[in-house]
Amino acid sequence: MYLDKSLKEYNEILSDESTYPSSESSLALTGALAASLLLAYLKNLYKEKKDEDKLELKKNIERIFNIKEELMDVVDEAYRIIRAKSKPKETVTKETVVIPILIAQKCNNILEIITKVDDNIGLNILNSQFTTALYAGVHKTKASLMGSLACVKINLEDLERGELYSFALEERQKLIKVGEKNFEKILESIEEKILEE
């Protein structure tokens, strides 16, 4: 539904004061845009790597592409759920906890993939355009990850204590820790390589 609209229309819907805003939908879109920037970088990195590195890099490109597609599906799904005023509050609350956790997990997967690419193959500093895509992609991924985890914290306040509550709380703490670690590791590596240039 929303994927068929232009970015301008989508942006206007997000800012409409008469409707319920969907942070989760916009966070999924942010994660998908981050994945696209990182795909642009990785595809150009692929051209520069030796044949023995290309197979692993191709697999990681495919993994990030699949995550991007999954996040785009969440853009629509999150909007549909948040706007569903006819649903019981309990159902909506559960979904508004599960969806941002899902987004955060996917963004964390992206950061883990980029970290593994750096560990196993190396993140080369390409021309300024693609290095900027790498920087922006990593930062946007973190923004989507942390924004989603903020939504989890806020939405947990309306959720009854139980298995989902405990899982969400534990998963949130884990993703904050792991996400920050991967983000800092990637940035440190990029900055070291820039200084070596």
Side-chain angles (χ1 to χ4, degrees), residues 106-119:
K106 292 187 182 306
C107 288
N108 186 60
N109 289 343
I110 292 171
L111 292 176
E112 286 180 343
I113 292 167
I114 298 298
T115 302
K116 285 178 184 173
V117 168
D118 190 33
D119 288 345

Side-chain angles (χ1 to χ4, degrees), residues 145-156:
L145 170 65
M146 294 304 172
S148 297
L149 295 176
C151 286
V152 172
K153 183 178 181 180
I154 292 163
N155 293 336
L156 276 176

Side-chain angles (χ1 to χ4, degrees), residues 120-139:
N120 299 337
I121 299 171
L123 296 173
N124 292 9
I125 298 305
L126 306 175
N127 64 41
S128 60
Q129 185 179 3
F130 289 108
T131 301
T132 302
L134 174 60
Y135 255 121
V138 170
H139 278 280

